[in-house]
Every structure is written in C-alpha cells, then in structure tokens.
Amino acid sequence: MRRSTLQRKDRGELNQIAAALGAKPSSRARKDEIIQLIIDLTADGARISQPAGESPPAEAAPGGSGEADQGPRSTDNAGAAGRDGDQNGEGSATNREESRPPDRGEDEVDTGNRRRRRRNRDRDRDRDDSWDGDPVAVAGRLDLRDEGYGFLRVDGCLPNRNDAYVPVKTIRQYGLRRGDHLTGTSRPANRAEKNPALLTLESINDGPAELSDRPQFESLTPIHAVRRLTLEQPEDPDAIAARLIDLVAPIGIGQRVLVSGPRRSGASELLTSLITAIETNEPDIFVMGLFLDQRPEDITEVRRCVRNGDVAATSFDQTPEEHVQTAEMTIERVKRLVESGRNVAVVLDSLTSLAQAYNAALSNAGRAYSGNVESGAVHMPKKLFGAGRNVSESGSLTMIASIVSDGSSSLPGVLSDEFVGTANTEIRLDRWAAQLGLFPAIDVSASVSRDEDRFIDADEVQALQDLRRGFTGGAEDDPGGVVKALETALSKLRSTASNTELLR
C-alpha cells in the first residue's frame, strides 16, 4: 500500500487498517507513525482484503497506562481476567463491525474514537493472545479504586510496580472487597502497561475462590465484651506492665481501649508490651500492629516483637498520603477477618499521628476547627477507632490505640476532646512518673474500665476495687499522689508472683 494512499485516509481508518494487520497503535501515536507502522507490516507483501463496501473491525483504542494508584489509572490491563465481553453485556469492541458514513471528516472520527475510549475505559476488553509464557504466582491484599477496578498489593499496603491489576469483572464476579487477601496467577505487564495483570484467582482469604454469602462488617451486631483479655504472663515475672493493667483497667475482648498521655510518657513501650502479652496468652487472637509516623529503628523493634501477627508501619519521612493509605488498608484487612469470624486485636500508635496525616492530606477540604484543624482529620480517626467491637454473630475487633492528651486549641487538644467517652477502657499515663523513670507510668486512680463487671465475676470486681483503694491510699488530690500510688502498686507487684496471690 502506497504512502500517498495512506496519507489521504483519516486517523480512524488508519487505526482500523493497523488493527486488521494485527497491530495496536498507541492512542498517542501520531498519524505519520501509524502510516509507517502499516508500511512496515505490509513490507513483506501482505495486503488487506476486505469485502466491498465494508469497513474492517473496529478496535477499541487502548487507554493510557496509569501507575498503580497514582494519577490516571491503567486501562491497558483491563482484560487480564475474565475477558468474555464488557460489563454492560455489550459485545467486545474487537468483535463489533461498524460502518462509517463516507462524509465524516477526520476531526469527527477522532472525536468518536475519544468517546469510545471513554465509554470503554476500565472494561475487560484487551486480549492476552500475544502472551504465551508461564503464569506467575501472586498473592497480596486487594486495594479497590473508585472506578471499580483494583490492585493486588504484593508488598505491604503501598503501591508497587509489582502490584497485579484486578479487573472490574473479577471483582464483581467474586464479590471482592478492599482488604481481601487473594492468591492466584498473573502475567507480566506488556509494552503498554505498567503493572502485571491477574489471570486466575485461586483463593480468597485462605478459602476457595468462590462467591460466598459473607456479611458486611457494618451489618454485624455489636455487643458488650463477655470475655476477658488476659495479659498477665506467669512465666515472665518482669512483665509488670501487663499485670498492672489487669488490676487497674482490665480489658475485654472486643473493647475499645484508649491509652492517653503526654508525649514521651512511654505509650509506645506500653503498647509493645501489650502485643507480647496478647500473643502469649491469646493464641486465637490475630494481632495487627499499626505504627504510624515512627522512627525507623522503633519500627524494627516492633517487627521483632510480633511473632505470629503482622505489622504495618510508616516512618516519619513518609508522606501523609502514605500514612493514611497504610492505616485504611490495615483496618479494611482486619474487618475482612472479623467478617469471617476471627478474633483480631489492633494495636495503633497513634491516633494523633493519623489525625495529623489526615489534616495534611485534606488540605482545606472542609470545615475547620480552631487552630486550622480540618473536620475530616478528626472524623476519620474516630471512624477507625470506632471499628473496635465484639459482635454477636462471631468474631471481635479489639482496638487498643494511643493518643496524645496535651495541647489546647491545636490538633492534639481538639482530638482528645472528641474522643472523650468513646472508649470502654481508658489507661492514663502520667508525665511526672515517666520523667522519674517509672514504667509503666500509669495513673492508677485515673485509669478505668467501665464495663469490667460484664466479663469479670462480682467477687473479683470487689477485690480489684479494694486493691485500687489500697494503692491510692485516699491521696488522689495530692500533687504527688499519682507517683506515690504507682510506686506502691509496683512495689506490691514485685513482691508477689501473680495477681491471684496479690488479691488474696
């Protein structure tokens, strides 16, 4: 075919000719590039043969290849799993034949092509016929996008070039939700793509890949805790923090626990000791550590502490969007576990760091409190903390989170005011006790469990109340009373082998 003949054709006709020759010109390819591609394809003597008066099959123009979760989304990956037609029941664009009126100009054809690309975006329409390699095993957590498709995060919660694209059809076919753990096979990204694409789905949350009638987390019935979360470790006499919490603020499975205190009062160390205690005493509870805006060396220590659970963490040099993405993906993951009947404990450090990340990410997107605090920066941490609950159907989500309590009109002060009354159990930390080197720096008289009588028998509740009065000695109003009460409590704990002996 002569170049002069091709020059007289419009862009739409050139795309159709190239498609008939087995090529897929890029949507950004110039007209001269498409002509050269056609000439190269026909250089060996191949020619196009068409019935008289009939146009070649129309090929849906490929969309732009977007990164996983950044900027415009990839549409070239859209046909990776389940390419049996588009989502609306129409035939695939590659299987439709369209006749174009002869009086349509090049501008009109280009407009029609762009319209078709918008209409077919994110549909499962591309074919894998050109790829004949071996499938690659892939596993990760599903992260859904607003457009309906998703990506399988294979390395943590943040976007990665190795994340596998999951098409809309697969998500709808199996009723997939954000946070689902999937395993399957994928194919590598082709020349026009930036991510691999999911080919087959083998398991969903360690179960078979089939559509199951699982409940929505929000539809589960929340109830009060009926079982105690045991923290005392008899084989470890140095685990004083866990023993003290069992005495002054017992925790029930499925409760919301707030560890509040000023900065540098030992909240992170206390949460780490709680992770160890839960994993030691409650093997049926899956522990998920969520540590945001931390120092890298502290993240390493937490990862070494968790033996059977999982840790999602971000360091202080990461962006607010990465903090938010990590927190949301982690909470969605544990919700999926609770939906399947699992008991989960989330240890979060801290709600203040999460609120600061939301405040920076929202950037004046809504109504603000005093001190330039966005309303969404307060609402989203409350929504995350409110996921903690015990459910009547089966399963529970115990939420243990720290929060900075100092401040007034700034974000920590506003956040502390908003969280008043949201927790079932509150553990207060004292600045002066921490400065004196006491650990845990717990304010014995201010820490409280409001519903302990629901999961502890009446005789033990009475014994615990008598013991707490013995710790404080009626000196709650004394400026040094907090330190004196804590020193008394720690002295009695070190002089006894167990809490049972101390309560006799």
Side-chain angles (χ1 to χ4, degrees):
M1 184 171 290
R2 298 176 182 274
R3 179 181 292 271
S4 59
T5 303
L6 295 174
Q7 287 284 2
R8 291 194 295 269
K9 296 183 179 295
D10 56 44
R11 184 186 179 90
E13 291 174 325
L14 293 176
N15 278 327
Q16 294 173 355
I17 294 173
L21 291 173
K24 293 182 179 180
S26 170
S27 60
R28 298 181 180 180
R30 296 190 298 271
K31 184 175 179 180
D32 291 341
E33 294 175 347
I34 302 176
I35 292 174
Q36 185 59 48
L37 175 62
I38 296 173
I39 292 175
D40 292 341
L41 291 173
T42 58
D44 58 353
R47 293 293 183 269
I48 304 172
S49 60
Q50 302 177 28
E54 185 174 314
S55 299
E59 178 74 21
S65 56
E67 293 185 56
D69 202 29
Q70 298 293 338
R73 307 300 174 188
S74 173
T75 56
D76 293 278
N77 285 341
R83 292 175 173 80
D84 296 325
D86 59 29
Q87 295 298 323
N88 295 327
E90 300 174 356
S92 173
T94 57
N95 296 325
R96 287 199 305 267
E97 293 189 359
E98 298 176 356
S99 58
R100 183 179 60 84
D103 56 343
R104 291 175 62 181
E106 181 175 348
D107 292 340
E108 187 177 353
V109 173
D110 287 344
T111 302
N113 286 338
R114 288 194 296 270
R115 187 179 298 113
R116 284 196 296 274
R117 287 197 295 271
R118 289 194 298 269
R119 186 171 60 247
N120 294 327
R121 184 170 295 150
D122 307 324
R123 293 182 179 177
D124 308 334
R125 70 190 190 282
D126 296 340
R127 294 178 295 179
D128 301 321
D129 299 342
S130 59
W131 182 77
D132 57 358
D134 295 329
V136 179
V138 64
R141 300 176 186 173
L142 179 62
D143 185 13
L144 294 181
R145 315 314 302 148
D146 294 338
E147 295 83 354
Y149 60 87
F151 290 92
L152 204 57
R153 305 297 181 201
V154 299
D155 185 15
C157 302
L158 300 178
N160 187 288
R161 292 298 293 269
N162 296 323
D163 294 340
Y165 174 87
V166 184
V168 177
K169 182 174 182 179
T170 301
I171 294 171
R172 293 179 178 176
Q173 179 181 355
Y174 295 98
L176 301 179
R177 300 172 186 171
R178 190 182 188 191
D180 281 333
H181 185 270
L182 310 179
T183 61
T185 61
S186 67
R187 62 165 177 82
N190 61 34
R191 184 175 56 184
E193 299 170 347
K194 291 188 177 181
N195 290 87
L198 188 69
L199 285 176
T200 62
L201 186 59
E202 297 177 355
S203 70
I204 304 174
N205 297 326
D206 299 324
E210 59 184 18
L211 182 60
S212 58
D213 187 20
R214 53 175 171 167
Q216 288 278 356
F217 179 83
E218 291 74 15
S219 66
L220 298 174
T221 306
I223 59 175
H224 285 283
V226 295
R227 174 183 159 196
R228 183 175 184 172
L229 183 64
T230 304
L231 300 176
E232 181 182 2
Q233 306 163 68
E235 70 283 355
D236 187 3
D238 295 329
I240 299 297
R243 287 184 60 188
L244 182 58
I245 292 175
D246 269 349
L247 293 174
V248 301
I251 300 174
I253 294 179
Q255 284 192 330
R256 294 175 300 280
V257 182
L258 202 60
V259 180
S260 61
R263 300 182 189 276
R264 296 181 295 278
S265 59
S268 298
E269 293 81 357
L270 180 61
L271 294 180
T272 303
S273 65
L274 289 179
I275 291 177
T276 302
I278 296 173
E279 286 200 321
T280 300
N281 296 320
E282 305 288 351
D284 64 319
I285 296 180
F286 181 81
V287 179
M288 175 68 75
L290 178 56
F291 287 73
L292 305 173
D293 200 16
Q294 302 288 315
R295 294 177 296 183
E297 54 271 18
D298 293 337
I299 295 176
T300 301
E301 291 297 322
V302 173
R303 293 189 187 278
R304 291 175 177 174
C305 171
V306 177
R307 301 187 301 270
N308 303 317
D310 196 5
V311 175
T314 57
S315 58
F316 62 83
D317 57 343
Q318 293 182 255
T319 65
E321 290 76 14
E322 290 175 323
H323 299 322
V324 170
Q325 168 78 0
T326 300
E328 292 182 348
M329 280 289 293
T330 300
I331 295 303
E332 290 301 319
R333 174 60 187 151
V334 300
K335 285 181 178 181
R336 304 293 84 80
L337 294 175
V338 175
E339 289 171 352
S340 61
R342 296 281 300 276
N343 292 313
V344 186
V346 175
V347 180
L348 168 61
D349 187 20
S350 67
L351 287 168
T352 305
S353 297
L354 179 60
Q356 290 171 339
Y358 271 113
N359 197 48
L362 290 174
S363 64
N364 300 321
R367 182 176 62 88
Y369 292 89
S370 61
N372 198 28
V373 178
E374 294 289 334
S375 58
V378 177
H379 169 71
M380 296 307 295
K382 288 180 67 176
K383 183 178 180 181
L384 185 147
F385 185 69
R389 65 193 63 188
N390 186 34
V391 298
S392 61
E393 289 80 3
S394 181
S396 64
L397 174 52
T398 305
M399 179 67 68
I400 305 174
S402 65
I403 187 172
V404 176
S405 59
D406 56 359
S408 55
S409 61
S410 62
L411 178 58
V414 173
L415 196 66
S416 296
D417 293 341
E418 288 293 323
F419 273 84
V420 172
T422 61
N424 305 103
T425 299
E426 186 169 353
I427 302 172
R428 295 277 186 90
L429 302 181
D430 182 69
R431 181 195 302 273
W432 303 112
Q435 290 180 349
L436 292 173
L438 297 177
F439 179 80
I442 295 178
D443 187 340
V444 176
S445 60
S447 300
V448 62
S449 178
R450 296 181 176 84
D451 303 312
E452 61 183 6
D453 57 328
R454 296 180 181 273
F455 51 86
I456 301 177
D457 60 72
D459 293 338
E460 186 175 356
V461 170
Q462 184 62 44
L464 288 173
Q465 293 175 350
D466 294 340
L467 182 65
R468 294 164 194 159
R469 284 192 290 269
F471 288 160
T472 58
E476 294 88 344
D477 298 331
D478 185 358
V482 174
V483 175
K484 292 179 182 179
L486 180 59
E487 289 177 336
T488 301
L490 294 178
S491 176
K492 290 185 178 181
L493 287 170
R494 293 189 178 99
S495 64
T496 56
S498 66
N499 286 351
T500 302
E501 179 182 346
L502 185 59
L503 290 172
R504 289 175 183 172

